[in-house]
Amino acid sequence: MGVIVESNVWEPNPALCLFFFISCCLSIYYLPNSTRSSAIFDHAPSSSFIRFQRSFLLLYSLSSVMEGLLAVFGEYDLAFHGISRDQMVISLCIGYATALFVGTFLGILSDLIGQRKVSLLFCLLHLFVAIWRRVTGHPSIWLASICLSLASTIFFFNFETWMVVEHDKLEQRQDSVNDMFWLMTFVESASFIGSQVVGNWLIGGHEKTSLLAPSSAVVIMALSALAYVSRGWKEDPKSILLKDYQTKFRTYILSDKRVWLLSWTQATIHFSIAVFWITWAPIIVADGREVLLGLVYPCVLGAKMLGSTAFSWFSSGPLSLRTEECLVYACIIMGFVTSVVAFDYQDVEILLMLFCIFHACVGLVLPSLARLRTM
């Protein structure tokens, strides 16, 4: 008589995703009047302003989908082609080192030559890797890691800089800039979820024949972004000299202790986020548990979207707090959550709850840091 061993694969309750969706809609719908008056989905002070916001968010969402396809299917693609874990770690180290030593100077380059040209570089890097992957099937892991790390660095700072510069040019209020900060976090998370849906649909369960389909999608999106940036983005020529830039950099950056403190805070936040994304899957599947990780991913991003909508409530709404106070409270909660995860393996349901709390705080912290950078 045979013995049948049932495999119990855990998956999150679908009602959780529905909860985040409804909560985000309610949070946006009941935004304070002072915030809604300048939001993207309401009447803007000028037609040029609302046109810029919509076109910017469209381009930003397109770029986020390209970044999301890398985040979702990057390691899976490497494992499919027989890349070992040690080689993956080395490639990550090479990419992060490139972002540190080369990507740091891309911000200076963006200020000197303009955000438009650096955005073109972002699209070209994704286009280069995607075409190479499509033609050869599997490009050099080191070169791909370098190119995509530089693209991620550009994605992190260049779009935000462009948005702030355009708002200053159009002489808009600071409230409009603050709204765009949380909208960028919201759109980025939603685009990451969309990239997962697009990637799964393109692969369709036929890995050998369809694994290159996401690369084809990136090629199309990169070409579309290139066409928009090169033709639809009008930018005034830069007139600042390198010598003047160095003087201003020493005066406003190196000599300001607040900037150093903000930089340290930014570094610690991103370090904790990086540690989370490296360890979250091994933590959940510890002790041999079987979990559908593809369904956990949208839940934590949904929590991040909900946290981003809370930024307006704390910045200019009835729960108004100073940005520094929001950061203090959010960082304390994040530290407590990660300490619970680090010292005690919990049930999957509790781990998912803690991960969602962590990312809700991340969704609140990222726009808060962006607001302090502009200040």
Side-chain angles (χ1 to χ4, degrees):
M1 181 177 179
V3 178
I4 300 177
V5 179
E6 295 185 359
S7 177
N8 186 18
V9 181
W10 187 89
E11 61 182 67
N13 193 330
L16 183 60
C17 294
L18 183 62
F19 166 76
F20 285 128
F21 176 76
I22 295 176
S23 299
C24 289
C25 293
L26 292 177
S27 180
I28 294 174
Y29 182 78
Y30 290 105
L31 281 176
N33 292 330
S34 59
T35 304
R36 293 183 62 189
S37 61
S38 59
I40 183 66
F41 29 73
D42 212 338
H43 297 289
S46 63
S47 58
S48 59
F49 177 69
I50 190 69
R51 188 165 55 249
F52 160 73
Q53 284 187 317
R54 289 174 176 173
S55 59
F56 171 80
L57 288 177
L58 177 61
L59 178 62
Y60 187 72
S61 62
L62 195 64
S63 303
S64 299
V65 172
M66 289 191 288
E67 286 286 307
L69 285 173
L70 165 67
V72 173
F73 295 99
E75 295 182 6
Y76 177 76
D77 183 35
L78 295 177
F80 181 81
H81 287 92
I83 304 300
S84 65
R85 293 183 178 180
D86 293 338
Q87 290 176 311
M88 291 184 191
V89 172
I90 294 175
S91 68
L92 286 175
C93 293
I94 292 176
Y96 286 133
T98 304
L100 175 62
F101 294 107
V102 180
T104 302
F105 297 97
L106 290 177
I108 300 176
L109 185 67
S110 174
D111 291 333
L112 294 176
I113 68 175
Q115 290 75 42
R116 177 176 177 271
K117 294 180 181 178
V118 178
S119 295
L120 290 173
L121 176 61
F122 166 82
C123 299
L124 288 173
L125 289 171
H126 273 289
L127 182 63
F128 170 71
V129 175
I131 291 179
W132 192 5
R133 183 173 293 172
R134 186 64 188 176
V135 173
T136 64
H138 182 60
S140 170
I141 181 176
W142 318 124
L143 186 57
S145 178
I146 291 173
C147 293
L148 295 177
S149 295
L150 290 177
S152 297
T153 304
I154 295 173
F155 176 80
F156 172 73
F157 72 84
N158 197 63
F159 287 98
E160 178 186 319
T161 306
W162 172 33
M163 186 271 295
V164 174
V165 169
E166 289 296 323
H167 274 69
D168 291 341
K169 186 192 304 182
L170 296 173
E171 298 181 350
Q172 297 301 317
R173 299 179 306 170
Q174 182 64 34
D175 289 342
S176 301
V177 181
N178 295 337
D179 289 336
M180 287 298 293
F181 286 147
W182 74 260
L183 278 170
M184 288 173 65
T185 304
F186 185 89
V187 168
E188 177 188 356
S189 302
S191 299
F192 279 9
I193 297 176
S195 66
Q196 183 188 28
V197 175
V198 171
N200 287 329
W201 175 72
L202 290 174
I203 292 178
H206 305 285
E207 290 86 358
K208 294 184 178 180
T209 58
S210 303
L211 193 60
L212 295 178
S215 298
S216 302
V218 172
V219 170
I220 297 175
M221 289 184 286
L223 289 174
S224 302
L226 275 172
Y228 173 78
V229 173
S230 59
R231 296 185 179 183
W233 183 352
K234 305 300 180 182
E235 185 178 47
D236 297 333
K238 298 291 182 178
S239 59
I240 186 172
L241 300 177
L242 180 59
K243 185 177 181 180
D244 296 335
Y245 185 86
Q246 291 175 342
T247 303
K248 293 181 178 180
F249 189 83
R250 286 192 298 267
T251 303
Y252 297 109
I253 304 298
L254 298 182
S255 301
D256 195 339
K257 295 181 180 179
R258 295 174 301 175
V259 175
W260 285 98
L261 178 60
L262 178 61
S263 301
W264 173 254
T265 306
Q266 185 91 42
T268 55
I269 293 296
H270 282 277
F271 178 80
S272 64
I273 295 174
V275 170
F276 171 84
W277 283 111
I278 292 174
T279 60
W280 76 277
I283 290 175
I284 286 186
V285 299
D287 302 328
R289 292 177 294 211
E290 295 187 34
V291 181
L292 292 179
L293 298 178
L295 298 180
V296 177
Y297 182 78
C299 293
V300 295
L301 289 180
K304 184 179 176 182
M305 294 168 63
L306 181 59
S308 66
T309 62
F311 173 74
S312 291
W313 290 88
F314 288 107
S315 61
S316 58
L319 306 176
S320 182
L321 291 174
R322 293 174 61 246
T323 305
E324 295 84 350
E325 294 177 343
C326 287
L327 282 175
V328 170
Y329 298 144
C331 289
I332 291 175
I333 296 174
M334 292 170 65
F336 174 76
V337 167
T338 51
S339 65
V340 173
V341 175
F343 292 105
D344 186 17
Y345 281 116
Q346 302 288 339
D347 294 335
V348 182
E349 292 85 355
I350 298 178
L351 286 173
L352 179 58
M353 180 187 68
L354 295 175
F355 290 167
C356 290
I357 294 175
F358 178 87
H359 270 75
C361 293
V362 170
L364 177 61
V365 164
L366 293 182
S368 300
L369 290 174
R371 184 181 186 183
L372 289 180
R373 285 196 294 268
T374 59
M375 293 170 59

